[in-house]
Amino acid sequence: MIFPFLIWLIIFRYIPLWGWITAFQNYKPGIPIFQQQWVGLKYFKEMFSDPEFYLVMRNTLAMSILGLIFGFPLPIILAILINEIRNSTFKRTVQTISYLPHFVSWVIVASIVHAMLAPDGVVNYLLMRIGIIEQPILFFGEPKYFWWIVVFSDIWKELGWNTIIFLAAMTAINPELYEAAEVDGAGRFRKIWHITLPGIMPTIILILILSIGNIINIGFERQFLLRTSAVRNVSDVIDLYALDYGIRAGRFSFGTAAGIFKSVISLILLFSANKLSKKFTGYKII
C-alpha cells in the first residue's frame, strides 16, 4: 500500500537533490549542468553577509516558535475533548466541522482574514461595540500584529486536521484501563490524566520532534498572501527570501544555496530534538 508513496517520495524528494550542485555554480539556464562555471561557496558567503538574510531568519524563527508554542498543544486538547464526547452523531459533526478549514486554500483563508480584520470588518466592529476600542485597529498596517495574525490563522485552518493522529493514537488505548480506573473511583479528568495522556505520549513526542525539525520550514503561502507593504519587514521569511532574491531575480544558484541552508538546519534541529527526547523522556524516532 505504501509503494506508490515511496515512488512519489523518491521522484519528488530524492532525485531532485542532485540539483544541489547548482548552489556551487554560477548556474545559467540552457547550459549543461556539468559545464556551468564553478564558484564554490560564493553564494553562501553572499547570503551570510546580507543583512536581509538575518531579518528573514528572525521572522521565520519567531513565527515558527509562536506556532509551536500555541499550535502544538491545541490539537491534543481538542482531540481529548472530541474523544470524551459520548454522542456519536455530535462527535462526528464536531470532527467534520473542525476538519473543513484544512481543505480550504490559503487564498480563500487570507481573503477571509483580511475581510474580518479590515477597519470596517467584524472584529473591529465587535471591539468597538463592546467598548474595548474607540477607533478601528489597522491590523495589517502595524507590524506588531502580523506574526499573531499568521500564527492564529494557521491554527484555525489546521487545528481540526492535526487532531486526527492523536485521535487515532487514542483508539489504541486498551478500554479495560478505563474500566479499571472507573471501578477504582477515578473521574473523567483522572482518566484523562493517568490513562489517555500517557497512552498517547509516544505520539506526542514523535510529533513534537518532527515539529521542531520543521521549525525553519515555515513555507511562504500564509506570509505572501497576508502581508502588505506596511508589514514587509516582519512578513518576509526564508522561503520568500529564496523566491524573491533567488528565483525571481534569476539567481537560481543563490536560491538553491538558501534551500540547502534550510535543509541542513532542519537536520540539525531534528537530530538534536531526537537526542534530547531520548535523554529526558526515553522516546526517540531514530
Side-chain angles (χ1 to χ4, degrees), residues 128-230:
M128 288 190 293
R129 190 64 183 262
I130 61 180
I132 295 179
I133 59 174
E134 295 182 357
Q135 298 293 329
I137 298 174
L138 300 176
F139 286 104
F140 291 99
E142 298 186 37
K144 63 181 179 180
Y145 297 120
F146 186 77
W147 290 349
W148 299 103
I149 292 171
V150 170
V151 168
F152 286 104
S153 297
D154 186 54
I155 290 174
W156 172 77
K157 186 176 186 299
E158 302 296 339
L159 178 60
W161 183 257
N162 291 337
T163 63
I164 292 175
I165 191 168
F166 298 112
L167 287 169
M170 290 175 192
T171 62
I173 299 174
N174 190 344
E176 293 180 0
L177 294 175
Y178 292 103
E179 295 171 4
E182 192 168 349
V183 171
D184 290 338
R188 179 170 292 186
F189 291 103
R190 289 278 186 181
K191 287 187 282 187
I192 291 173
W193 185 259
H194 293 289
I195 299 175
T196 304
L197 283 175
I200 65 172
M201 188 56 65
T203 303
I204 292 174
I205 298 298
L206 170 65
I207 300 301
L208 180 60
I209 292 172
L210 294 176
S211 298
I212 292 173
N214 278 310
I215 276 181
I216 202 169
N217 290 317
I218 192 174
F220 69 89
E221 294 92 345
R222 294 160 283 178
Q223 293 79 10
F224 181 76
L225 293 168
L226 290 171
R227 71 179 179 176
T228 63
S229 57

Side-chain angles (χ1 to χ4, degrees), residues 14 17 20 209-210 212-217 259-275 285-286:
Y14 286 100
L17 289 179
W20 276 11
I209 292 172
L210 294 176
I212 292 173
N214 278 310
I215 276 181
I216 202 169
N217 290 317
I260 291 176
F261 170 79
K262 275 181 51 186
S263 299
V264 171
I265 296 300
S266 294
L267 282 174
I268 293 172
L269 290 172
L270 179 64
F271 282 104
S272 300
N274 186 68
K275 187 173 182 179
I285 60 173
I286 47 177

